[in-house]
Amino acid sequence: MMSLQHGSLSSTIFISGKAATIERLWQQFFSDPSQWWDTRFIKRNLKYPDFKHKYGKKALWIDNRFNPPWVHARLAAMVNCQQQERGRSSDSIVRMEQLWQEFFSDPSQWWDNRFINKKSSNYPDFEHKSTHEGLWIDGWLNPPWIEGKMAIITSGQLQSDARIRSRAPDSFCNDNLSKLCQEGRLKEALHVLELMLKQNTQAPINTYVVLLKGCAKRKALAEAKQVHTLIIQSGLDSDIFLGNTLVDMYAKCGSVLNARKVFNTMPQHNVFSWTAIISAYADHGQGEEAINLFQQMQQTGIAPDKVTFVVVLKACARTAALEQGKQLHSDIIKCGIESDVVIGNTLINMYAKCDCIKHARQVFNKMSERNVVSWNAMIAGYAQNGLGKEGLGLYEQMKQAGVQPNNVTYGILLKSCASSAALNHGKQLHSDIIRSGFEPDVVVGNTLVDMYAKCGCLEDARQVFNKMIEKDVVSWSAMIAGYVQNGLGKEALALYEQMKNEGVQPNSVTYVILLTSCASIAGLEQGKQLHSDIIRSCCESDVIVGNALVDMYAKCGCIEHARKVFNEMIERDVVSWNSMIAGYAKCGCIDDALELFNNMNERNVVSWSAIIAGYAQNGLGEEALALYDQMKQEGVLPNNVTYVILLNACASIAAVKRGKQLHTDIIRSGFQQDVTVGNTLVDMYVKCGCIEHAHEVFNNMNERDVVSWSTMIAAYAQNGLGKEAMSLYEQMRQEGVQPNSVTYVILLKTCASNLALEWGRQLHLDVIRSGCKSDVSVGTTLVDMYAKCGCIEHACRVFNNMHERDVLSWNVMISGHAQQGLGREALTLLEGMQSEGMIPNAITYVSVLSACSHCGLVDEGRHLFDSMFEDYGVIPTMDHYACIVDLLGRAGCLADAEDFINRMPMQPNVVVWRTLLGAAQHHGHVEIGRHAFDCVMKVEPENDAAYVLLSNTYAAVGQDG
């Protein structure tokens, strides 16, 4: 309470003192108004006073709240003051003219504020150095001759006479230039510098440095060259500090050539000069030249510093120059800076990028000081070398050591989990991220979405995406990519529309992902719409987008559109040509593809892979393998894509011998640990019937993703080894790899074929836990499994709970009821299918007709057969005719069945005649049975089943054949 009273008392004292001061000033004003300037008619805003003392810093405002109450009455009553008011404007005009005359008679007495100190229009253009009176070029009290005078005597002439000087010190200039550069107003900053030079004012070196750094930050090469020209004109080009800054600036603006020119013309170099030029080459992908320059530096006798070593180590990492990296490590030890934490971190990164993870770990272990970057570098090293488990183990050690992981740590680890489909580890990391408070971080959120998507958990990915407070274009692209990677092209395109509706502008990466989606689902119309969006967004000139457009049109079968895009591309790289070749090959235009291939000026491994793939996709596996031999003869080294294509070619023609040769080449080239190559090797051996070889390759893989496990499980399942398939599935889960929808489909089909109901039920529970139950293919396979295992009620329950059903789902459900002899229910399902707008296909009618046959629904079956073409355009096949023969035969209408066969528009096959023979045997009709048997013998004389059926027919009526 006392403090409150004390504050109120202080405020009262302050207000009283302020009011007393104002009252004294008004008394002075009224005692002698001639000592005050009346500025009411030239004031620019309310901040300017109404009256200003001519010789002091005193000022008065008529509407000041501290004015005494008698001021307005005194102003109104004083005739002299009123007369002064009427004459004050003319006095001001006279004074303004006097000031301009003084200015033009001796401009050196005035500060020129126009280009440096003028912060707003309220600041005068010229200010007197002694009286501080101001002049505005556009002042409304200016005499009419000012405009003409200023036009004759230009600012440039005034500057050249050196009569008007800026009052700003060097530091003030640099501060203003820095501000202009930070705001991106480089042209204005340049103009200020040019004016300084025109005034014969030598700008300090720091001024040029400020401008050069501003140009480097904005990558403004044109402005940077102008600054360089001014430096040369000022005779400062020999200054080593400015030379170093120029080298660094040109490098950051992307002009390594200009950086090298400056470096070569410098009269002398120091360690900073060499580091700058080495960094220029290293940052622009020319690591070998960076290393060569470092060696030249050493030859000149200049000792590298810590920064130099860091730059050159990064160059070694980018070029995988291990030997040079090791030599640098020795030099660092000799210099005694090995204990420096930045050096240690860079050494770890270099060794990891050169695939020497043991050396990286040795450096890490020897470090006396480690920061979060050190741990991140080592964890990233493990991840880059396919050692995700070791990376996660180090993460645990990091926490135990009390080092707090940051967003970079989590990003590295999540990417590692994504690449190895280690969902359980990814979920644990997600929990740690929430606890550590990094969940709102947009980069971490994006990586979480990517991890869940790549592990096949799209529901979790979407949940993270929806919870993100901030979403950038990378967030949207990651979620869209997740849908595309999991074969959900429609969902990807729907999310793209939502992205646009929320005002997020897609980038080239987004468009490439979406075009890939359109290509994968042959979504030509969606692709065309995207093409229109790309044109509107001005991304069409991007070569990567152009290549994706070519690929999309080609894969959608529009080779003419693909060629049109290809021809209109402003820039084409080797990928463009490769995409076009692959497009021709995909459309079966192998001659056009080969012609384009032969016309290429430059052919790389992708070009060869594309033409080889063309032959392989068109069933010319031998020709594809011959091209591979030619490729090697021309000295082009295959990559992982080439080997995948060739292995698929071997699998398609069961060329196991060539497949084994390729396996040897793969080991020699070091691609045996590539997960995609490993998966394709397993698949090739499986399709060639070599299960043991496939299992050996699988066991030797350092990294196995969900595709690896699914391929091996499918191998066992397809070869009747259901127990082995289920055992491998258990092992897969124990190793933390999350099965996807493909895995579950394979396993459920195995359960259905083996009538393994208990396994199927366990898999059903796993499907629910994994979040894959909404997948239509998984739901359909579950229905099929339960139906084939005789649990039609469970099949119905799964079917009814499916959020989405396709034609296959309905067919499986109808077929399941047919197998259980539930014909009426099958017909009801057909009606339900039709009411939902689903169009039955040929397989649907086979299932329904089979159900009618088993239940004796002759009239219904014949009606369906007669209407299938008229209602849905389904042309009857041999299977449909066989169903009707079976329907009539089971009902004892053998004569009708025989007559139906005789009226068939096609030649009946063995199945049709054998069906009739079976019906004749069942009903003991020897004559029709004998006729059916004779017809079977004409097609297949060695059909043992026909002999058995005929024999049983005779036995049924007590006759001998």
Side-chain angles (χ1 to χ4, degrees), residues 720-735:
L721 302 169
K723 288 184 179 179
E724 288 78 356
M726 289 300 296
S727 175
L728 199 61
Y729 165 68
E730 292 299 329
Q731 185 184 338
M732 173 188 187
R733 294 172 61 209
Q734 287 168 9
E735 293 196 16

Side-chain angles (χ1 to χ4, degrees), residues 559-695:
I559 199 67
E560 291 180 2
H561 282 73
R563 188 60 191 256
K564 186 174 183 290
V565 172
F566 177 80
N567 291 339
E568 290 176 354
M569 286 176 72
I570 298 167
E571 178 190 353
R572 286 195 291 254
D573 59 11
V574 69
V575 178
S576 317
W577 289 85
N578 295 345
S579 299
M580 197 65 238
I581 290 167
Y584 275 129
K586 182 78 175 175
C587 294
C589 306
I590 196 68
D591 292 336
D592 291 320
L594 189 59
E595 182 184 355
L596 205 62
F597 176 78
N598 290 331
N599 288 334
M600 287 180 73
N601 294 326
E602 176 193 354
R603 289 195 296 237
N604 63 6
V605 63
V606 182
S607 320
W608 284 94
S609 299
I611 194 68
I612 289 169
Y615 278 105
Q617 289 161 3
N618 286 278
L620 303 169
E622 292 291 347
E623 290 80 351
L625 291 164
L627 267 174
Y628 167 64
D629 294 332
Q630 183 185 338
M631 174 187 182
K632 289 194 294 181
Q633 288 169 7
E634 293 193 17
V636 180
L637 295 175
N639 63 9
N640 56 346
V641 176
T642 320
Y643 284 122
V644 167
I645 293 165
L646 290 162
L647 288 168
N648 284 329
C650 292
S652 66
I653 59 174
V656 69
K657 186 176 179 181
R658 284 306 303 266
K660 287 180 177 179
Q661 291 173 1
L662 279 170
H663 192 173
T664 304
D665 292 348
I666 286 165
I667 293 168
R668 287 200 196 102
S669 60
F671 282 108
Q672 73 273 18
Q673 293 306 329
D674 182 281
V675 67
T676 307
V677 173
N679 294 344
T680 319
L681 267 169
V682 171
D683 184 63
M684 183 273 296
Y685 278 124
V686 169
K687 287 178 178 173
C688 290
C690 300
I691 299 294
E692 290 183 3
H693 283 79
H695 195 258

Side-chain angles (χ1 to χ4, degrees), residues 210-268:
V210 167
L211 265 169
L212 290 171
K213 287 184 176 179
C215 293
K217 184 179 179 181
R218 300 276 174 174
K219 300 189 187 304
L221 185 59
E223 288 80 3
K225 286 181 176 179
Q226 292 179 47
V227 179
H228 191 179
T229 302
L230 293 174
I231 289 170
I232 294 169
Q233 290 172 356
S234 302
L236 297 173
D237 50 319
S238 60
D239 184 89
I240 191 168
F241 181 57
L242 272 179
N244 295 345
T245 312
L246 278 165
V247 171
D248 181 65
M249 177 275 298
Y250 276 124
K252 287 176 179 172
C253 287
S255 181
V256 179
L257 184 62
N258 279 302
R260 187 60 179 267
K261 283 180 181 177
V262 172
F263 179 80
N264 290 341
T265 56
M266 288 174 68
Q268 57 180 332

